Amino acid sequence: MALTKEIAIDQITVTENGIVLVREVTRIMEDGNEISKQYHRTSFVPASDVSAQPQNVQDICNVAWTPEVISTYQAQQTANRLGV
């Protein structure tokens, strides 16, 4: 009986306002059969530091976060803080 633990990013989603949602799955395998699965979710707002994230997450953020997306997101956040 061999138990192994596999961790992978199984879902990356970009929302309308540029937020990148990442889902990571952790699987416990016994002799090649999945016996347990758990999810962990993380989100990144435009212009976040994603340098510690896996390369596929960095690549998607770099494509999604155009200067226009970043400035629009920041303007929305400022307007929300001001109650506009």
Side-chain angles (χ1 to χ4, degrees), residues 9-71:
I9 293 183
D10 71 332
Q11 192 175 82
I12 302 172
T13 306
V14 180
T15 66
E16 182 178 358
N17 62 353
I19 295 174
V20 175
L21 308 172
V22 178
R23 185 174 80 175
E24 181 181 82
V25 62
T26 302
R27 292 183 182 96
I28 304 300
M29 309 292 283
E30 179 179 3
D31 297 325
N33 296 311
E34 182 180 286
I35 61 172
S36 175
K37 178 171 36 179
Q38 184 175 20
Y39 295 108
H40 175 76
R41 291 174 173 80
T42 308
S43 61
F44 301 98
V45 299
S48 294
D49 178 11
V50 293
S51 60
Q53 298 305 308
Q55 191 62 49
N56 59 341
V57 174
Q58 292 180 43
D59 292 345
I60 289 173
C61 291
N62 289 333
V63 169
W65 294 343
T66 64
E68 296 80 20
V69 168
I70 292 170
S71 64

Side-chain angles (χ1 to χ4, degrees), residues 17 70-84:
N17 62 353
I70 292 170
S71 64
T72 300
Y73 179 81
Q74 291 172 340
Q76 289 171 344
Q77 295 308 300
T78 299
N80 290 342
R81 281 193 294 276
L82 298 175
V84 176

